[in-house]
Each structure stands twice: as C-alpha cells, then as structure tokens.
Amino acid sequence: MKASIAAKLDQLARRLEELNGFLATEQATRDLAEFRRLSREHAEITPIVERFNRYRAAESDRAAATEMLADPEMKAFAEAEAREAAERMTALEAELQRLLLPKDPNDERNIFLEIRAGTGGDESALFAGDLFRMYSRYAERHRWPVEVISASPSDLGGFREAILRIAGQGAYSRLKFESGGHRVQRVPATETQGRIHTSAATVAVMPEPDEVGDVELNPADLKIDTYRASGAGGQHVNKTDSAVRITHLPTGIVVECQDDRSQHKNKARAMSLLGARIKDQQQREQRAKEAATRKSLVGSGDRSDRIRTYNFPQGRVTDHRINFTLHRIADIMDGDLDELLDQLAAEHQAEQLAALAETAA
C-alpha cells in the first residue's frame, strides 16, 4: 500500500476514535443539526476503518508467517499462511481504494430530467417521445415516482420538449451520465421509400436541490408570470391562472410549471427547477474549466456531446464514451437500462481509481 494512502487511512482511524468519544457524551445531542452531521460522518468512516483494521491484521499475520519461515518444520505451513495473508491484503487494498474515492454529494438526490428534440424535425420529436417513455419505464422498474413538470407535444406525436421530475433514492447516481446528445438512426413512419434517417435529441439530468436555499435566488432577479395552463387537465386548467413562468434575469433562464391546479404548488416546483438549472449551469462552467487539464472518460455531461446512438435497423445501442454496444434495442427502449448504466458507472470508477493512483504516486 502506498504511504500516502496509508497516511490517509491512519487519519480516518484517528477521526473515528474522536467521533466515538464525542458521540458517547451527553452534549452530543445538544445541537441536533451538528449531531446528525457527525453521525453521517461516523457512518461513512466506519466501514473504511473496519476494513483498514482487517488489512493491518492481515499485514501482521503475514509478518508472523514470514518469521516462521526460518523453522524448517514450519516452512510449508508458514508459506501457506503468508500467501493467504497476502491475498487478503490485496483484496482489502482494492476495497479500500474504492471506498476512498470521492463521493458525489448529489448521488442520492431526486432529479429533473429534460428532453429536447434536436435536428431531424418531426422525427426528432418522435425520438424525444421515445426517450421520454424509456426513462419513465426505467423509473417504473425502480418504483420511482415520475412527475411531468412541463411538456410541449409536437404535431405528429412525441415532444419538442419535456421535463420530468424523478424521485427516488440514488436516482441521480444512476442517471447522471445520461446528459448529452442522443442520436437515432431508423426509417421514419412517414418515409415512403424506406430510407434510414438520422435525427437527435438532447438530455439534461440535474439533481434537485434540497431546497431553494441551496442556490441563492434574489427576489429582485426574478420575473414571475402566471397564465392559464393548456393541454390535459380538464376544464379547470383553462379557467384559472394556475401555471407559473419564472425568468431569472441575470442568466436569462426561464422555467415553467403547469402540472398542478394549484398556483402555489406550481410556483414551488418552478422555483426548485430554477435552482437546479442554475446549479447545473454553475457546475458545467466549473467542469469546462477542469476539462482543460483533465477530461472525464465518461464525458463532461455537456449536453452538446454526442454520447449514444440508437440504431434500429441493426437493433443496437452504442455508447460512444466507453465504446460499449448492446444488441437489444427493444429492451433498452422499454427502460431496461441497468446493464448500460452499470458499464458507465464502472468506467467512471476506473478513472477515479487511476486518478487516485496518480495522486498517491
């Protein structure tokens, strides 16, 4: 194990002792917010220190076995013990490296998922509708509730734009690599000569802020309009100004919500979406700066990136970031995304491990 990693683990072991001591005292619960924060830290550190203790025990076992090698009668036993201890150390070191990888603080959050038709006219809107269904079915498979925040249907079906809110533990961690350009190759239903067309749609995945306070929103920077909702929802939506449009003047970001009959609820949801978009913009600007020195293998998340192609004639889906292809497009379009998402997560973790090895060198 590299000295820098061992030093980090020693530091965490000392920190766990401090937390154990403090959380056992009477004053630990006087400040409940601080108590919850320290309890979360304790829960995060404990499994790392437990494995580090097992690593040190295996290290001690190997040292003891090495000493026994000098005794001819114990040599065979000592060699087996040393080999077994070394194998345990290797496995535990790999586990510890994974546990030391930086955590994404947004991983457990709900998400806003935006789908927009791109190049390709009506076919692009139909493809956006297919992506809408794909992600909705994926959420259903995981029993995550889906809300349609806003939608702009196209004339021939599908959507020019659709915004979903998906609520579920780990939703962002599973879907965060979906941001980018999605391309489809197929024969449109309106094509009479059987020619394959290529069109595109873009997807943006943003973590939902815990509350609007996560992002500073000055009321003076907001222009709030109400209007009568259109589309599904019965006659009621056409009689009251329940829909809400909020414009963030400094950035020009505009959000709308007309999902609920309550203007108050629509405003609250629109404010949350606005906070998510502003935070997403800030993060993309930060990533753009970091990309000058290191570009993530799994992509920057920039929605202009072409990340995936859905080729219907060949029945395949290819993710270009990791050069991974699956030949079961029907299952994927029906929301069976886990194999693809697992590969993206594994590649991201591999790059994190490589970066950790570089910094520890």
Side-chain angles (χ1 to χ4, degrees), residues 105-142:
N106 294 316
D107 272 352
E108 298 307 310
R109 292 181 187 252
N110 304 329
I111 64 169
F112 290 112
L113 190 148
E114 301 184 356
I115 305 167
R116 289 185 175 83
T119 56
D122 291 330
E123 172 63 12
S124 173
L126 290 170
F127 178 50
D130 292 337
L131 293 177
F132 177 101
R133 181 180 183 276
M134 181 182 78
Y135 291 121
S136 297
R137 292 284 292 120
Y138 180 76
E140 289 171 13
R141 288 169 181 262
H142 289 265

Side-chain angles (χ1 to χ4, degrees), residues 134-208:
M134 181 182 78
Y135 291 121
S136 297
R137 292 284 292 120
Y138 180 76
E140 289 171 13
R141 288 169 181 262
H142 289 265
R143 299 183 179 179
W144 294 342
V146 177
E147 298 175 46
V148 180
I149 300 300
S150 67
S152 300
S154 68
D155 295 335
L156 298 181
F159 297 100
R160 289 187 293 272
E161 175 186 286
I163 301 175
L164 307 177
R165 177 181 179 267
I166 299 177
Q169 186 172 9
Y172 185 72
S173 69
R174 292 301 288 165
L175 292 169
K176 62 184 177 182
F177 298 125
E178 291 302 288
S179 291
H182 295 244
R183 184 177 68 170
V184 64
Q185 295 173 324
R186 63 185 174 188
V187 179
T190 55
E191 170 58 54
T192 58
Q193 299 182 24
R195 291 175 299 188
I196 296 173
H197 287 227
T198 298
S199 56
T202 58
V203 173
V205 179
M206 300 170 293
E208 180 184 39

